Amino acid sequence: IGGFADLLRAVPVRHFFIGAGLTGSELTDEINQELLARNLTPTPLRRGDALEFTGGRLAILHPTDSFLSAEEIGRNDSSIVARLEVHGRSILLTGDAERAAEADILAANLLEPADVLKAGHHGARDSTSDALLQAVKPDLVVFSVGRNNRFNHPAPETIARIMPTGAAIARTDRQGSVLVSISRSGVIRW
């Protein structure tokens, strides 16, 4: 969330979506000022919502209102989890989801194989579970993680769960920005 104000200043934005568990008041003052300056109101997304666009679709798999109303739900588990489908290919975007969110999605039988998986919560040990990996069967797992971060993400346990799957691993702490592109013919490059 820390980079959104800079992103709003750098990129033309017509819509601003947030997780249903996050309210506009929880956004930083700087983000709220940028949204106000652009006359944008945050739109909350929850399971069942979908955004259609030319060549693709973004389906929201998590969170649900019932999940968000449960006690003991951590902020990370209220993160948006979405499946991006473009030109016959798919990417599972897990935000900061951890085990409770993953279990909720798995229980709803919403996970399908995806070509690319963005590892949950920067690869924390309590994310990207064996059950999630077995359901998604990714060819590529991307870790969005800062170099020398104080949390030591990604966790060795998470890397160890991915290794037997044979999926390629891309890490922003080692490679810098990771760009995944899908051609109109469905070819994935990264």
Side-chain angles (χ1 to χ4, degrees), residues 148-162:
N148 300 320
N149 65 83
R150 64 184 170 122
F151 302 105
N152 296 314
H153 291 156
E157 303 96 315
T158 305
I159 298 289
R161 283 193 293 273
I162 294 167

Side-chain angles (χ1 to χ4, degrees), residues 61-106:
L61 307 180
H62 185 79
T64 63
D65 290 334
S66 61
F67 183 89
L68 293 170
S69 66
E71 293 182 29
E72 308 286 329
I73 297 302
R75 183 180 191 100
N76 291 332
D77 277 319
S78 66
S79 188
I80 290 177
V81 176
R83 180 181 174 88
L84 176 64
E85 297 171 351
V86 179
H87 305 301
R89 299 302 205 144
S90 60
I91 301 174
L92 183 64
L93 303 165
T94 57
D96 277 346
E98 296 175 337
R99 297 257 169 130
E102 291 179 13
D104 184 62
I105 299 164
L106 285 160

Side-chain angles (χ1 to χ4, degrees), residues 117 128-138 141 158 161-162 165:
L117 167 66
T128 316
S129 65
D130 283 324
L132 180 123
L133 289 166
Q134 289 170 9
V136 176
K137 300 174 180 45
V141 177
T158 305
R161 283 193 293 273
I162 294 167
T165 71

